[in-house]
Amino acid sequence: MQLPSQHMVVFTAWLISRALDLGFSLSQRVCPGTQGSSFSGVQGRKWKGEGTTKNLENIVIGRCYDYIRIVNPAVGEKNCSQIWEAFKNAFINKDPCSILPKDYELFINLSLHTIPPNKSLFWENNQLLVNRFADRGRRYMSLGDTLFGFFGDFLNWCGQADSPGLDYESCPTTLECENNAVESFWRMASITYAQHSSGVIHVLLNGSADGGAYPQPGFFADYEIPNLQKDRISQVVIWVVDDIEGPDIDSCGIHSVKILETRLKTLGYDVICTDNNKSVMFLLCLDNPDNSKCALASSAPAAQRGPISSDRGCSWNKLMIVSFVGFLFRFALVY
């Protein structure tokens, strides 16, 4: 029997709907893990972290050339493509939770260069401030100002087990597994940076950070202090600087900073600690000139600023009289 045209439309729509439902149901059974947008591709597991930064290869090779040509040509010639391959091979075709710091050894060896004495700047909880203060190695050379640190700064990456590709959907966080590609990279980079620092080293800490300026565990506490070469370090200078709008939670001689000072002195280092270093505060005040912490108090005597007082008026009158008498005396000598 031939259905009326209106009923045919309804019947056709019903068939399409059933077909779509059936196809989706089969896809869930045959391809587990396809539902949802954050499938990682690693045995159907979803990671909580962001996926690999898009165009990672182009970005890091470009950074490498930028560094050796413009940022710090003094490091000499480097094979940027070879450095990328060593970097990639540290985590490609591996379980994203089984990457160790030593997997990056070849990458470090290929990208390593001298860190000038007295230029090392360690930090905790204030990366953006450190980047501005170091000024890409012109003022100080933080980890992010070395070639191996510059290579991975602010990027994310991970591979997949038994696959040559990168996982662009999601990567494991440190809470999910400590031995992930990014965490192990920065551990190895921190160890290398500490081992090659010398002279007077500087440590910039955030006095407004929750939990204290010197976190434990932390990269400085766990990977950098243990790898400092004591015979190459003449002094450790600690700067504790509060956020311009933040509270004063930690300072030299108290709380977590005191723990750090004690640890370093016990290890035999000469330690100096300063709160709110002026140079760093001036930098913060460039963006916050009206903040009360940025009021510049002149060191000039009170008599040199403000309206003229009555006493200053008397002094001025006396000066005028003496000057006038001197003029009359010189006039008498001439005539």
Side-chain angles (χ1 to χ4, degrees):
M1 183 177 85
Q2 187 174 9
L3 296 173
S5 59
Q6 182 178 0
H7 291 177
M8 179 65 73
V9 171
V10 174
F11 180 69
T12 302
W14 177 81
L15 283 177
I16 293 174
S17 175
R18 290 295 297 162
L20 289 175
D21 288 343
L22 179 61
F24 181 73
S25 177
L26 287 174
S27 71
Q28 285 184 307
R29 295 177 185 178
V30 176
C31 306
T34 55
Q35 64 272 32
S37 60
S38 60
F39 170 57
S40 68
V42 185
Q43 299 177 350
R45 181 175 178 178
K46 300 176 183 178
W47 304 111
K48 295 180 180 178
E50 294 182 5
T52 298
T53 305
K54 297 296 193 304
N55 307 113
L56 180 68
E57 180 178 356
N58 293 333
I59 292 172
V60 296
I61 291 179
R63 284 186 177 186
C64 179
Y65 282 115
D66 182 31
Y67 192 89
I68 66 175
R69 297 286 184 261
I70 299 173
V71 177
N72 189 10
V75 301
E77 198 63 26
K78 299 286 185 182
N79 188 327
C80 293
S81 296
Q82 189 178 14
I83 292 175
W84 156 253
E85 290 297 324
F87 170 80
K88 180 180 67 174
N89 289 334
F91 60 91
I92 286 296
N93 278 313
K94 298 178 182 178
D95 180 351
C97 286
S98 298
I99 314 300
L100 301 176
K102 66 182 181 64
D103 293 331
Y104 289 98
E105 283 182 354
L106 179 57
F107 163 79
I108 290 293
N109 291 336
L110 292 173
S111 59
L112 188 62
H113 58 83
T114 300
I115 299 174
N118 309 318
K119 289 287 189 176
S120 292
L121 179 60
F122 298 85
W123 56 272
E124 285 286 4
N125 296 316
N126 48 18
Q127 184 177 7
L128 295 179
L129 174 60
V130 165
N131 288 352
R132 291 174 59 200
F133 188 57
D135 196 20
R136 295 190 104 185
R138 296 180 183 91
R139 188 176 291 114
Y140 292 97
M141 185 175 285
S142 67
L143 174 55
D145 300 308
T146 64
L147 174 56
F148 49 93
F150 191 70
F151 202 87
D153 227 6
F154 297 107
L155 300 178
N156 200 49
W157 62 88
C158 67
Q160 306 176 55
D162 303 318
S163 171
L166 301 170
D167 192 337
Y168 291 101
E169 295 298 324
S170 61
C171 291
T173 64
T174 303
L175 291 177
E176 289 179 288
C177 58
E178 288 191 6
N179 294 328
N180 64 67
V182 175
E183 182 77 8
S184 292
F185 172 88
W186 288 114
R187 289 178 179 179
M188 188 62 182
S190 294
I191 291 169
T192 304
Y193 180 70
Q195 290 173 339
H196 290 81
S197 294
S198 63
V200 178
I201 65 169
H202 303 80
V203 186
L204 183 54
L205 302 177
N206 187 342
S208 299
D210 292 335
Y214 171 59
Q216 298 180 86
F219 277 88
F220 186 56
D222 298 337
Y223 301 101
E224 292 169 340
I225 291 179
N227 287 285
L228 293 173
Q229 306 299 298
K230 187 176 179 301
D231 58 333
R232 302 182 62 202
I233 308 296
S234 58
Q235 190 175 63
V236 180
V237 177
I238 303 171
W239 294 324
V240 185
V241 178
D242 299 335
D243 290 337
I244 203 71
E245 298 286 353
D248 180 10
I249 295 176
D250 218 340
S251 301
C252 295
I254 61 173
H255 306 317
S256 71
V257 181
K258 183 177 181 179
I259 295 174
L260 171 60
E261 292 177 78
T262 301
R263 178 181 181 183
L264 292 172
K265 289 176 181 178
T266 301
L267 292 171
Y269 292 103
D270 178 22
V271 180
I272 294 178
C273 187
T274 304
D275 289 319
N276 291 325
N277 173 269
K278 288 184 178 180
S279 297
V280 182
M281 291 301 297
F282 285 150
L283 184 61
L284 289 173
C285 288
L286 287 175
D287 295 328
N288 301 273
D290 297 326
N291 189 278
S292 60
K293 295 179 182 178
C294 298
L296 299 178
S298 172
S299 59
Q304 295 183 10
R305 56 180 191 266
I308 297 177
S309 66
S310 57
D311 288 341
R312 289 183 61 199
C314 293
S315 299
W316 178 253
N317 291 338
K318 292 178 182 178
L319 179 61
M320 290 294 292
I321 293 172
V322 171
S323 299
F324 183 67
V325 171
F327 169 76
L328 291 178
F329 180 72
R330 286 195 302 273
F331 183 82
L333 290 176
V334 173
Y335 294 97

